[in-house]
mmCIF file of all heavy atoms in Angstrom:
data_model
loop_
_atom_site.group_PDB
_atom_site.id
_atom_site.type_symbol
_atom_site.label_atom_id
_atom_site.label_comp_id
_atom_site.label_asym_id
_atom_site.label_seq_id
_atom_site.Cartn_x
_atom_site.Cartn_y
_atom_site.Cartn_z
ATOM 1 N N VAL A 1433 -9.848 22.041 -11.260
ATOM 2 C CA VAL A 1433 -9.922 21.389 -12.574
ATOM 3 C C VAL A 1433 -10.600 22.308 -13.593
ATOM 4 O O VAL A 1433 -10.109 22.485 -14.720
ATOM 5 C CB VAL A 1433 -10.679 20.048 -12.459
ATOM 6 C CG1 VAL A 1433 -10.990 19.479 -13.847
ATOM 7 C CG2 VAL A 1433 -9.859 19.042 -11.664
ATOM 8 N N VAL A 1434 -11.709 22.926 -13.213
ATOM 9 C CA VAL A 1434 -12.462 23.765 -14.147
ATOM 10 C C VAL A 1434 -11.697 25.044 -14.468
ATOM 11 O O VAL A 1434 -11.684 25.503 -15.618
ATOM 12 C CB VAL A 1434 -13.856 24.078 -13.575
ATOM 13 C CG1 VAL A 1434 -14.571 25.110 -14.439
ATOM 14 C CG2 VAL A 1434 -14.692 22.805 -13.498
ATOM 15 N N ASP A 1435 -11.042 25.637 -13.468
ATOM 16 C CA ASP A 1435 -10.241 26.836 -13.739
ATOM 17 C C ASP A 1435 -9.115 26.527 -14.717
ATOM 18 O O ASP A 1435 -8.759 27.360 -15.567
ATOM 19 C CB ASP A 1435 -9.667 27.392 -12.442
ATOM 20 C CG ASP A 1435 -10.703 28.149 -11.627
ATOM 21 O OD1 ASP A 1435 -11.805 28.422 -12.166
ATOM 22 O OD2 ASP A 1435 -10.434 28.451 -10.452
ATOM 23 N N HIS A 1436 -8.540 25.326 -14.611
ATOM 24 C CA HIS A 1436 -7.487 24.957 -15.561
ATOM 25 C C HIS A 1436 -8.071 24.736 -16.958
ATOM 26 O O HIS A 1436 -7.379 24.959 -17.962
ATOM 27 C CB HIS A 1436 -6.764 23.699 -15.086
ATOM 28 C CG HIS A 1436 -5.461 23.460 -15.784
ATOM 29 N ND1 HIS A 1436 -4.424 24.361 -15.765
ATOM 30 C CD2 HIS A 1436 -5.028 22.430 -16.561
ATOM 31 C CE1 HIS A 1436 -3.421 23.908 -16.473
ATOM 32 N NE2 HIS A 1436 -3.757 22.727 -16.970
ATOM 33 N N TYR A 1437 -9.327 24.305 -17.034
ATOM 34 C CA TYR A 1437 -9.987 24.234 -18.337
ATOM 35 C C TYR A 1437 -9.951 25.594 -19.031
ATOM 36 O O TYR A 1437 -9.668 25.698 -20.237
ATOM 37 C CB TYR A 1437 -11.449 23.801 -18.173
ATOM 38 C CG TYR A 1437 -11.677 22.332 -17.889
ATOM 39 C CD1 TYR A 1437 -12.929 21.880 -17.503
ATOM 40 C CD2 TYR A 1437 -10.660 21.405 -18.013
ATOM 41 C CE1 TYR A 1437 -13.162 20.530 -17.236
ATOM 42 C CE2 TYR A 1437 -10.873 20.059 -17.750
ATOM 43 C CZ TYR A 1437 -12.130 19.632 -17.357
ATOM 44 O OH TYR A 1437 -12.348 18.298 -17.098
ATOM 45 N N ILE A 1438 -10.274 26.632 -18.287
ATOM 46 C CA ILE A 1438 -10.310 27.978 -18.854
ATOM 47 C C ILE A 1438 -8.923 28.403 -19.317
ATOM 48 O O ILE A 1438 -8.761 29.012 -20.382
ATOM 49 C CB ILE A 1438 -10.886 28.970 -17.829
ATOM 50 C CG1 ILE A 1438 -12.343 28.601 -17.498
ATOM 51 C CG2 ILE A 1438 -10.811 30.396 -18.355
ATOM 52 C CD1 ILE A 1438 -12.979 29.470 -16.440
ATOM 53 N N GLU A 1439 -7.889 28.072 -18.523
ATOM 54 C CA GLU A 1439 -6.524 28.415 -18.920
ATOM 55 C C GLU A 1439 -6.124 27.696 -20.209
ATOM 56 O O GLU A 1439 -5.535 28.297 -21.116
ATOM 57 C CB GLU A 1439 -5.555 28.047 -17.793
ATOM 58 C CG GLU A 1439 -5.746 28.856 -16.518
ATOM 59 C CD GLU A 1439 -4.817 28.391 -15.415
ATOM 60 O OE1 GLU A 1439 -3.935 27.541 -15.706
ATOM 61 O OE2 GLU A 1439 -4.969 28.857 -14.272
ATOM 62 N N VAL A 1440 -6.441 26.410 -20.296
ATOM 63 C CA VAL A 1440 -6.101 25.644 -21.503
ATOM 64 C C VAL A 1440 -6.866 26.174 -22.704
ATOM 65 O O VAL A 1440 -6.314 26.269 -23.813
ATOM 66 C CB VAL A 1440 -6.393 24.147 -21.277
ATOM 67 C CG1 VAL A 1440 -6.238 23.360 -22.582
ATOM 68 C CG2 VAL A 1440 -5.459 23.571 -20.216
ATOM 69 N N ALA A 1441 -8.134 26.544 -22.508
ATOM 70 C CA ALA A 1441 -8.917 27.109 -23.605
ATOM 71 C C ALA A 1441 -8.282 28.394 -24.107
ATOM 72 O O ALA A 1441 -8.259 28.662 -25.323
ATOM 73 C CB ALA A 1441 -10.356 27.360 -23.148
ATOM 74 N N GLY A 1442 -7.746 29.214 -23.197
ATOM 75 C CA GLY A 1442 -7.062 30.432 -23.614
ATOM 76 C C GLY A 1442 -5.795 30.148 -24.408
ATOM 77 O O GLY A 1442 -5.507 30.837 -25.405
ATOM 78 N N GLU A 1443 -5.043 29.136 -23.997
ATOM 79 C CA GLU A 1443 -3.832 28.767 -24.735
ATOM 80 C C GLU A 1443 -4.183 28.236 -26.122
ATOM 81 O O GLU A 1443 -3.504 28.553 -27.115
ATOM 82 C CB GLU A 1443 -3.046 27.720 -23.944
ATOM 83 C CG GLU A 1443 -2.490 28.227 -22.628
ATOM 84 C CD GLU A 1443 -1.830 27.133 -21.821
ATOM 85 O OE1 GLU A 1443 -1.854 25.970 -22.279
ATOM 86 O OE2 GLU A 1443 -1.295 27.430 -20.733
ATOM 87 N N LEU A 1444 -5.232 27.436 -26.211
ATOM 88 C CA LEU A 1444 -5.669 26.932 -27.514
ATOM 89 C C LEU A 1444 -6.131 28.078 -28.405
ATOM 90 O O LEU A 1444 -5.866 28.073 -29.620
ATOM 91 C CB LEU A 1444 -6.800 25.915 -27.323
ATOM 92 C CG LEU A 1444 -6.411 24.543 -26.778
ATOM 93 C CD1 LEU A 1444 -7.657 23.737 -26.442
ATOM 94 C CD2 LEU A 1444 -5.552 23.783 -27.769
ATOM 95 N N GLN A 1445 -6.812 29.061 -27.823
ATOM 96 C CA GLN A 1445 -7.284 30.201 -28.600
ATOM 97 C C GLN A 1445 -6.109 30.981 -29.180
ATOM 98 O O GLN A 1445 -6.148 31.393 -30.348
ATOM 99 C CB GLN A 1445 -8.135 31.116 -27.711
ATOM 100 C CG GLN A 1445 -8.666 32.362 -28.407
ATOM 101 C CD GLN A 1445 -9.689 32.035 -29.480
ATOM 102 O OE1 GLN A 1445 -10.548 31.181 -29.274
ATOM 103 N NE2 GLN A 1445 -9.602 32.703 -30.609
ATOM 104 N N ALA A 1446 -5.062 31.169 -28.384
ATOM 105 C CA ALA A 1446 -3.881 31.891 -28.872
ATOM 106 C C ALA A 1446 -3.210 31.143 -30.022
ATOM 107 O O ALA A 1446 -2.841 31.745 -31.042
ATOM 108 C CB ALA A 1446 -2.893 32.105 -27.722
ATOM 109 N N ASP A 1447 -3.058 29.836 -29.886
ATOM 110 C CA ASP A 1447 -2.441 29.054 -30.960
ATOM 111 C C ASP A 1447 -3.329 29.016 -32.201
ATOM 112 O O ASP A 1447 -2.825 29.004 -33.333
ATOM 113 C CB ASP A 1447 -2.164 27.629 -30.476
ATOM 114 C CG ASP A 1447 -0.975 27.564 -29.536
ATOM 115 O OD1 ASP A 1447 -0.317 28.611 -29.368
ATOM 116 O OD2 ASP A 1447 -0.707 26.493 -28.974
ATOM 117 N N LEU A 1448 -4.635 28.999 -31.989
ATOM 118 C CA LEU A 1448 -5.546 28.983 -33.133
ATOM 119 C C LEU A 1448 -5.484 30.288 -33.904
ATOM 120 O O LEU A 1448 -5.579 30.294 -35.139
ATOM 121 C CB LEU A 1448 -6.972 28.713 -32.650
ATOM 122 C CG LEU A 1448 -8.049 28.627 -33.739
ATOM 123 C CD1 LEU A 1448 -7.707 27.542 -34.748
ATOM 124 C CD2 LEU A 1448 -9.408 28.352 -33.119
ATOM 125 N N GLU A 1449 -5.307 31.395 -33.205
ATOM 126 C CA GLU A 1449 -5.179 32.678 -33.897
ATOM 127 C C GLU A 1449 -3.920 32.715 -34.764
ATOM 128 O O GLU A 1449 -3.931 33.273 -35.851
ATOM 129 C CB GLU A 1449 -5.158 33.803 -32.866
ATOM 130 C CG GLU A 1449 -6.505 34.041 -32.188
ATOM 131 C CD GLU A 1449 -6.438 35.074 -31.078
ATOM 132 O OE1 GLU A 1449 -5.311 35.575 -30.823
ATOM 133 O OE2 GLU A 1449 -7.479 35.380 -30.481
ATOM 134 N N GLU A 1450 -2.830 32.097 -34.277
ATOM 135 C CA GLU A 1450 -1.618 32.005 -35.089
ATOM 136 C C GLU A 1450 -1.857 31.160 -36.333
ATOM 137 O O GLU A 1450 -1.413 31.509 -37.442
ATOM 138 C CB GLU A 1450 -0.480 31.419 -34.259
ATOM 139 C CG GLU A 1450 -0.045 32.286 -33.091
ATOM 140 C CD GLU A 1450 1.066 31.640 -32.288
ATOM 141 O OE1 GLU A 1450 1.508 30.537 -32.689
ATOM 142 O OE2 GLU A 1450 1.487 32.227 -31.282
ATOM 143 N N LEU A 1451 -2.539 30.039 -36.168
ATOM 144 C CA LEU A 1451 -2.850 29.174 -37.310
ATOM 145 C C LEU A 1451 -3.769 29.889 -38.297
ATOM 146 O O LEU A 1451 -3.580 29.774 -39.519
ATOM 147 C CB LEU A 1451 -3.502 27.885 -36.809
ATOM 148 C CG LEU A 1451 -3.906 26.849 -37.869
ATOM 149 C CD1 LEU A 1451 -2.685 26.384 -38.653
ATOM 150 C CD2 LEU A 1451 -4.590 25.657 -37.218
ATOM 151 N N GLU A 1452 -4.726 30.625 -37.781
ATOM 152 C CA GLU A 1452 -5.644 31.360 -38.643
ATOM 153 C C GLU A 1452 -4.900 32.416 -39.456
ATOM 154 O O GLU A 1452 -5.137 32.588 -40.656
ATOM 155 C CB GLU A 1452 -6.722 32.019 -37.790
ATOM 156 C CG GLU A 1452 -7.786 32.763 -38.584
ATOM 157 C CD GLU A 1452 -8.818 33.396 -37.680
ATOM 158 O OE1 GLU A 1452 -8.566 33.530 -36.465
ATOM 159 O OE2 GLU A 1452 -9.891 33.775 -38.187
ATOM 160 N N ALA A 1453 -3.971 33.137 -38.807
ATOM 161 C CA ALA A 1453 -3.188 34.146 -39.514
ATOM 162 C C ALA A 1453 -2.330 33.514 -40.604
ATOM 163 O O ALA A 1453 -2.154 34.082 -41.685
ATOM 164 C CB ALA A 1453 -2.308 34.906 -38.516
ATOM 165 N N GLU A 1454 -1.811 32.321 -40.346
ATOM 166 C CA GLU A 1454 -0.996 31.618 -41.342
ATOM 167 C C GLU A 1454 -1.830 31.181 -42.539
ATOM 168 O O GLU A 1454 -1.393 31.287 -43.685
ATOM 169 C CB GLU A 1454 -0.330 30.412 -40.684
ATOM 170 C CG GLU A 1454 0.544 29.614 -41.631
ATOM 171 C CD GLU A 1454 1.185 28.416 -40.954
ATOM 172 O OE1 GLU A 1454 1.392 28.474 -39.726
ATOM 173 O OE2 GLU A 1454 1.473 27.431 -41.655
ATOM 174 N N VAL A 1455 -3.053 30.691 -42.264
ATOM 175 C CA VAL A 1455 -3.912 30.227 -43.355
ATOM 176 C C VAL A 1455 -4.287 31.374 -44.272
ATOM 177 O O VAL A 1455 -4.315 31.234 -45.508
ATOM 178 C CB VAL A 1455 -5.179 29.550 -42.776
ATOM 179 C CG1 VAL A 1455 -6.202 29.291 -43.882
ATOM 180 C CG2 VAL A 1455 -4.801 28.243 -42.099
ATOM 181 N N PHE A 1456 -4.564 32.545 -43.696
ATOM 182 C CA PHE A 1456 -5.034 33.682 -44.486
ATOM 183 C C PHE A 1456 -3.921 34.675 -44.809
ATOM 184 O O PHE A 1456 -4.199 35.819 -45.155
ATOM 185 C CB PHE A 1456 -6.170 34.400 -43.753
ATOM 186 C CG PHE A 1456 -7.407 33.571 -43.614
ATOM 187 C CD1 PHE A 1456 -7.719 32.987 -42.394
ATOM 188 C CD2 PHE A 1456 -8.239 33.340 -44.690
ATOM 189 C CE1 PHE A 1456 -8.862 32.211 -42.250
ATOM 190 C CE2 PHE A 1456 -9.375 32.560 -44.560
ATOM 191 C CZ PHE A 1456 -9.685 31.995 -43.332
ATOM 192 N N ALA A 1457 -2.654 34.239 -44.667
ATOM 193 C CA ALA A 1457 -1.537 35.110 -45.016
ATOM 194 C C ALA A 1457 -1.563 35.403 -46.513
ATOM 195 O O ALA A 1457 -1.914 34.541 -47.319
ATOM 196 C CB ALA A 1457 -0.216 34.452 -44.622
ATOM 197 N N PRO A 1458 -1.180 36.634 -46.927
ATOM 198 C CA PRO A 1458 -1.219 36.996 -48.354
ATOM 199 C C PRO A 1458 -0.395 36.066 -49.230
ATOM 200 O O PRO A 1458 -0.794 35.700 -50.326
ATOM 201 C CB PRO A 1458 -0.657 38.423 -48.367
ATOM 202 C CG PRO A 1458 -0.906 38.947 -46.997
ATOM 203 C CD PRO A 1458 -0.789 37.766 -46.079
ATOM 204 N N LEU A 1459 0.783 35.667 -48.746
ATOM 205 C CA LEU A 1459 1.647 34.797 -49.548
ATOM 206 C C LEU A 1459 1.214 33.349 -49.495
ATOM 207 O O LEU A 1459 1.687 32.533 -50.279
ATOM 208 C CB LEU A 1459 3.100 34.924 -49.072
ATOM 209 C CG LEU A 1459 3.722 36.322 -49.218
ATOM 210 C CD1 LEU A 1459 5.150 36.323 -48.696
ATOM 211 C CD2 LEU A 1459 3.685 36.777 -50.676
ATOM 212 N N GLY A 1460 0.340 33.023 -48.559
ATOM 213 C CA GLY A 1460 -0.166 31.653 -48.484
ATOM 214 C C GLY A 1460 0.751 30.705 -47.742
ATOM 215 O O GLY A 1460 0.298 29.781 -47.103
ATOM 216 N N GLY A 1461 2.082 30.951 -47.740
ATOM 217 C CA GLY A 1461 3.008 30.075 -47.029
ATOM 218 C C GLY A 1461 3.010 28.666 -47.607
ATOM 219 O O GLY A 1461 2.603 28.407 -48.739
#
Side-chain angles (χ1 to χ4, degrees):
V1433 170
V1434 172
D1435 283 349
H1436 195 59
Y1437 284 169
I1438 297 177
E1439 295 177 8
V1440 172
E1443 294 175 358
L1444 286 171
Q1445 179 67 42
D1447 285 354
L1448 182 58
E1449 289 175 358
E1450 295 179 2
L1451 180 60
E1452 183 180 16
E1454 180 180 333
V1455 170
F1456 294 104
L1459 298 179

